[in-house]
Amino acid sequence: MASSGPTKKDFADLINQMMGQNVVNSQLLDQVLKEAKKGYHQQGLEGFFEYIRNLTNIPLSNTELKQLMDIVIGAGTPDQALNHLVNQKWISKDKAETIERKIGSQGKR
């Protein structure tokens, strides 16, 4: 059966490109997903958010993380998600353009 989207390796490669160094691989992503699921199953969405907050050190409340998640999920496409994030002042236009370039270069491999 053919994959309908990017693989974990593709996602890891994109993260590494954006960071400018190798910070993640598909095995680490597997571990992150496993721990995120564990947090969710033990404490619901709050457990998931707590795990993400501890992992990333971002100073966002559960409400803010939920808003961010809703924006990204509800957008439909990566381009629309980036536009919403810029419009809501979550990220700068320059950062969105950088991400778009990185996503575009991943699709051309």
Side-chain angles (χ1 to χ4, degrees):
M1 175 160 76
S3 175
S4 62
T7 65
K8 288 177 193 163
K9 183 181 180 322
D10 293 332
F11 191 59
D13 290 346
L14 176 62
I15 291 169
N16 291 334
Q17 267 190 351
M18 291 173 67
M19 297 301 293
Q21 61 183 336
N22 289 336
V23 295
V24 70
N25 59 36
S26 57
Q27 292 82 17
L28 182 57
L29 282 179
D30 278 336
Q31 183 63 32
V32 167
L33 291 171
K34 179 181 172 185
E35 293 298 320
K37 284 180 187 179
K38 181 179 172 185
Y40 179 78
H41 288 299
Q42 289 178 343
Q43 299 174 336
L45 202 51
E46 287 76 23
F48 171 76
F49 288 153
E50 185 64 26
Y51 175 73
I52 296 301
R53 197 173 13 263
N54 288 335
L55 180 70
T56 61
N57 292 316
I58 56 173
L60 298 178
S61 69
N62 287 357
T63 301
E64 291 168 319
L65 284 170
K66 176 78 167 86
Q67 290 171 342
L68 179 61
M69 184 178 77
D70 289 344
I71 288 170
V72 172
I73 290 172
T77 68
D79 288 345
Q80 291 172 328
L82 288 170
N83 286 336
H84 286 292
L85 292 172
V86 169
N87 292 339
Q88 297 292 319
K89 309 252 188 277
W90 284 95
I91 62 173
S92 69
K93 186 173 175 79
D94 290 342
K95 186 66 173 174
E97 289 171 356
T98 300
I99 294 168
E100 284 178 336
R101 281 193 304 276
K102 298 292 184 179
I103 291 171
S105 70
Q106 283 289 305
K108 294 175 185 171
R109 292 189 308 149

